[in-house]
Amino acid sequence: MFYGVDEEEMLIVMVGILLVAYLFLILVGIASYIMNAVALQKIASKRLIQNAWLAWIPIASSWLIGSIADEYDEKNGIKRKWRVVLLVLSLISVIGIFAGYIGMVVSVVVMTMQETMSPELPNMIGLFIGAYVFIL
């Protein structure tokens, strides 16, 4: 008991607060993604870049930004390959993030298994894995 509050009730409240916080962050992330894609598509369309719809595809949007930069550089007589550089950096970033999340899931599972072998262990592991897959 913690100041007259049952531990289960406190856990439910804490999980509820975390769910509301994650929901808020997800909504802000979706709104940000949509605004960014619309703006990038309009810029690419005004610059007469082909396939402006690539602004809606996460990794392809980096290529589109590089295309806009390359088009600007061509007008100034500079030859660079920004689209390739940004695409490669974007791929490296995605692979690194994915590897980090897999490492987190594995470490949580290993630490949980080392700490206790309670009958609730499969439920806890399933909850952690489900949460991280959802975050991915």
Side-chain angles (χ1 to χ4, degrees), residues 39-100:
L40 184 57
Q41 186 175 11
K42 285 190 178 208
I43 291 169
S45 295
K46 287 186 179 192
R47 292 288 218 167
L48 302 175
I49 304 287
Q50 291 181 349
N51 302 324
W53 56 269
L54 288 174
W56 294 93
I57 301 172
I59 295 175
S61 64
S62 296
W63 184 84
L64 188 61
I65 292 169
S67 295
I68 293 168
D70 286 345
E71 188 263 339
Y72 180 78
D73 282 349
E74 276 182 25
K75 286 184 177 181
N76 294 323
I78 302 170
K79 288 213 171 213
R80 293 188 186 133
K81 298 288 183 188
W82 285 115
R83 65 185 85 181
V84 175
V85 171
L86 291 177
L87 182 63
V88 168
L89 289 175
S90 181
L91 286 171
I92 290 170
S93 173
V94 167
I95 290 169
I97 289 170
F98 189 68

Side-chain angles (χ1 to χ4, degrees), residues 17-52:
I17 290 170
L18 286 175
L19 286 176
V20 169
Y22 276 125
L23 181 62
F24 176 74
L25 290 175
I26 288 170
L27 291 175
V28 168
I30 290 171
S32 173
Y33 178 78
I34 290 171
M35 289 188 295
N36 188 29
V38 167
L40 184 57
Q41 186 175 11
K42 285 190 178 208
I43 291 169
S45 295
K46 287 186 179 192
R47 292 288 218 167
L48 302 175
I49 304 287
Q50 291 181 349
N51 302 324

Side-chain angles (χ1 to χ4, degrees), residues 112-121:
T112 305
M113 290 179 141
Q114 288 177 350
E115 286 295 319
T116 179
M117 292 302 284
S118 69
E120 298 161 357
L121 182 63

Side-chain angles (χ1 to χ4, degrees), residues 122-133:
N123 293 336
M124 290 176 13
I125 292 173
L127 180 66
F128 284 127
I129 292 174
Y132 286 117
V133 167

